[in-house]
Amino acid sequence: SLAGLATTLDKTPSMAATLTKSEKMRVTPPNNKKKLLSSDDAISVDKVKSFALRKFVQTIEVNIFRLDKIWDHVIAHLHVLMNYKNSILRHFGIKTLIRIQLKVLIESGKQKQKQKTKIQNENKLVQLPLQISVPPKSSSSTVSPHKHPHPHHHVHTTELSEDFQVRLFSPYLKLFKSKYADTREHVIRAVSQLLENAGEYISTGWPTIVELLHHVPSSQTHHTVTSQCLKLAFDDVRLIASDFLDCLPRHCILGLIHAVGLFGKQVKDNSLSYSSIGLLWKISDYITLITDQDKTSSSNKSDDDDATTGKQTKANAGIENLIEIADGLQIEIFKQLKVLCVDHRADVRNCAMQTINSALVAYGDRLAVKSWMDCIEILTVLLTDVVVKRTRLNQQQDEQKREEMSKREYRAWKKKWNETERHCILGGARICKMFIRKVHTETQFRAYWTYYLDTIIKLLELNPEIASTGIDCLQKIAQSADFIYCCGQNKRYWTEIISCYESMIRNVGHKEYEALTAVANSAYLNENNNNDAASTSTEPLTLPFADVCDAMMDSIKELLNPTMPSRALFEVAQIEQLLHNLDHLISDKHLEHNLTAQPLEILDARLSRLKRLLLIYQQLAPLSPSLAKPVIAKIASYLSYVSKCCHCYHRYAKKIEDEQNTNNAQNQNNANKPRSSNFT
């Protein structure tokens, strides 16, 4: 009746005209019976003198100890207020709900703390020395008033603080679906107040709060949620991740991870997406921390139990269960980051890629082998979507993108995608380098290893700009201690990585040879035809794939370094085959006629590359007789190549000298000519 009467305060003048005299007397304040409260009046909860509203709240507060018995009636009437058309009444209803919730949480939390303190004091009394004499109980002694508390005070306290919280917070889920935008915003603000003022007393109510925050950025409600509401909800999520992860039940951490992932995928506010990645890292770091703590405590406890009651098996089972839960939470974090790794926003994408690589490295030692297989699947998908399938755009869409953007914008856009691909390849290398010993016997990892090497080989076709990054990754893997150990167990890994080097050398040598042949033939024809375009052949040029070849030679030089442990893994046949393939990098040594038509800059680059190659031969000593013969033959062929280059340098020097003589003669003739009188 009180709640129903409260809603009659909002009557428009037209509606008031239809009221009877007795109804007007009930609604109109006694001091001014002719004035009706309308929606245009500035109604404030602090100023309203309504008997119905005040008594409704007072009745609830007086009966707070048995709120669980009357809660269905209370919340039904509060729903009337919180969904009413007058915004001030709606706000008043939500403020009343918050007031009730805070009162229940704080009082029950304090009562629970008192009971905990009382139990601790009783335990201390039990542990006192037996020499202290305790007076016998007298049957005539008076009963302490604390023995018989209020009949309702303790009966419902536990229920209110535990099971009742689910019913206490459930109205928020329904209110957030309200058609009023201000109501949805007030709901999020209410959750903020609960967390700030009584977050430490929440227990069974956490699932409801996490579910509510999960609804805010979801695809079903994104069109009805304002940016302000989104920021408020993210602040609540951040507060939970910062201060209440210890209070949060572990099954609720999974829901929190999903909520943070949804905030990362929303596109209304990029700063929230960027910050959500940091929250995922924070949650991952927390899971790592509690896993280490629980392992240590369980280990200590198991040692004590083994010495006393022999409960070692139970302790080990508990540790395995904990690891399985923690691994599942971490994998869910990795899955949320995997989605963000292909986001169209560059900052979000690159940050997510770096975060998932760092999280895998930080938690990899704790992951069970079974869980590692899920991580390998995630890494395979990332390698496919980011590098192989080139998620960014296909060739036709890339041309359209080039037309839509300016040259500067297109270069910046392409540079950011290259950065993402580099992070993806480097991340895979870090995993193989650091954890191959743990998973090298698994079939799924072997498949990923083969796929990773094939992708490195294809980088020249997929994206030549990051091919040198792939070569650096191969070197880091090949020189890592864990990889060398696994090669000692299974030679397959070493054979495959050397085969990868050989394939890349042949591939880049073949592509460069084709490019240089086309340039040389064109310049040779222009020179024979005395075409004016022949002069363009002397313009500054660079070798194609120069950075890839340099990275390749430096990498092989490090692998063959006698001081490095990787040198011991080489077989003589592998070294001979590798040197034979390195010959492909001097791809123009057979261009006998066209060599002279190459620009001077390319000749300089060629000799510089040859110097790198000879440095590799230099550190091969001492050589076995079977290897020395092909090495000497290769060096002899390079001497012939250098001789041809010297003839080219002589030709260019003579050409430059002739041009200088011609210019000097022309200048001399111009100086001897008399000036014309009509000179202007």
Side-chain angles (χ1 to χ4, degrees), residues 426-557:
L426 287 170
R430 291 175 69 185
I431 300 304
C432 294
K433 180 179 68 173
M434 299 179 65
F435 305 108
I436 189 172
R437 180 181 293 196
K438 191 172 186 177
V439 296
H440 73 281
T441 58
E442 300 296 325
T443 305
Q444 191 169 350
F445 173 77
R446 290 179 179 177
Y448 171 75
W449 168 254
T450 304
Y451 183 59
Y452 183 82
L453 295 181
D454 291 342
T455 304
I456 298 295
I457 296 172
K458 294 178 182 177
L459 285 179
L460 287 172
E461 289 86 9
L462 297 173
N463 190 356
E465 295 179 8
I466 64 168
S468 57
T469 302
I471 297 171
D472 293 338
C473 290
L474 289 180
Q475 177 188 336
K476 292 177 181 178
I477 295 172
Q479 291 182 328
S480 64
D482 287 349
F483 181 78
I484 292 175
Y485 168 81
C486 292
C487 292
Q489 303 295 319
N490 187 350
K491 284 288 187 180
R492 168 190 170 183
Y493 289 104
W494 180 255
T495 303
E496 288 179 346
I497 203 169
I498 295 301
S499 299
C500 181
Y501 270 104
E502 294 174 355
S503 299
M504 289 198 71
I505 292 172
R506 291 193 298 268
N507 197 1
V508 68
H510 178 70
K511 287 183 175 297
E512 193 173 62
Y513 180 80
E514 289 181 344
L516 287 175
T517 302
V519 172
N521 289 337
S522 177
Y524 182 75
L525 291 175
N526 290 335
E527 186 177 0
N528 291 338
N529 296 332
N530 295 322
N531 196 319
D532 294 337
S535 59
T536 59
S537 62
T538 59
E539 294 180 358
L541 296 174
T542 57
L543 286 172
F545 309 105
D547 58 335
V548 180
C549 290
D550 292 344
M552 184 76 68
M553 289 187 173
D554 292 340
S555 178
I556 294 175
K557 180 184 175 183

Side-chain angles (χ1 to χ4, degrees), residues 158-398:
T158 305
E159 185 179 359
L160 289 179
S161 61
E162 299 294 339
D163 299 337
F164 182 63
Q165 287 188 13
V166 179
R167 298 170 58 196
L168 192 66
F169 295 154
S170 59
Y172 285 136
L173 297 175
K174 186 176 181 181
L175 285 174
F176 189 73
K177 299 177 182 179
S178 173
K179 61 181 180 180
Y180 301 108
D182 61 328
T183 299
R184 295 192 293 269
E185 185 173 331
H186 287 319
V187 167
I188 303 301
R189 292 185 185 275
V191 175
S192 301
Q193 292 185 35
L194 289 175
L195 294 175
E196 292 173 0
N197 297 302
E200 63 273 19
Y201 301 129
I202 301 175
S203 56
T204 57
W206 281 117
T208 305
I209 293 177
V210 173
E211 184 180 358
L212 172 64
L213 296 175
H214 186 277
H215 282 312
V216 177
S218 63
S219 58
Q220 291 81 7
T221 58
H222 73 280
H223 59 284
T224 60
V225 176
T226 61
S227 298
Q228 180 65 22
C229 187
L230 204 63
K231 291 180 180 179
L232 291 173
F234 185 76
D235 289 339
D236 293 341
V237 172
R238 183 183 301 173
L239 181 61
I240 294 174
S242 301
D243 298 340
F244 298 110
L245 282 177
D246 290 332
C247 306
L248 207 64
R250 287 177 181 172
H251 66 275
C252 290
I253 297 180
L254 181 62
L256 184 66
I257 293 171
H258 287 164
V260 176
L262 289 175
F263 277 103
K265 287 180 279 189
Q266 58 81 33
V267 294
K268 287 187 176 181
D269 194 330
N270 291 343
S271 62
L272 296 185
S273 299
Y274 192 78
S275 300
S276 65
I277 298 173
L279 280 186
L280 288 174
W281 167 258
K282 192 169 188 175
I283 297 173
S284 175
D285 190 46
Y286 169 79
I287 295 171
T288 304
L289 181 63
I290 62 170
T291 304
D292 292 342
Q293 290 177 350
D294 289 348
K295 276 185 179 181
T296 304
S297 60
S298 298
S299 178
N300 295 335
K301 184 178 179 181
S302 63
D303 292 340
D304 296 338
D305 291 341
D306 185 53
T308 56
T309 60
K311 296 181 180 179
Q312 180 74 27
T313 306
K314 281 187 177 181
N316 291 338
I319 294 174
E320 291 177 359
N321 187 29
L322 173 66
I323 294 174
E324 185 176 354
I325 295 173
D327 287 359
L329 294 176
Q330 291 284 9
I331 290 171
E332 189 58 39
I333 292 176
F334 300 153
K335 288 181 179 179
Q336 298 296 329
L337 290 171
K338 179 191 70 174
V339 177
L340 297 175
C341 285
V342 293
D343 195 274
H344 67 280
R345 296 164 292 182
D347 292 337
V348 175
R349 182 178 64 244
N350 290 329
C351 182
M353 187 67 72
Q354 295 180 68
T355 302
I356 192 173
N357 291 336
S358 300
L360 278 169
V361 170
Y363 192 76
D365 288 333
R366 301 163 184 83
L367 275 174
V369 176
K370 181 180 179 181
S371 301
W372 256 115
M373 297 305 101
D374 296 330
C375 296
I376 293 299
E377 183 179 354
I378 293 174
L379 292 172
T380 304
V381 173
L382 282 178
L383 194 62
T384 302
D385 291 344
V386 176
V387 181
V388 178
K389 289 185 177 179
R390 299 179 68 82
T391 309
R392 49 189 179 182
L393 287 176
N394 56 37
Q395 186 175 1
Q396 182 178 0
Q397 292 172 327
D398 186 75

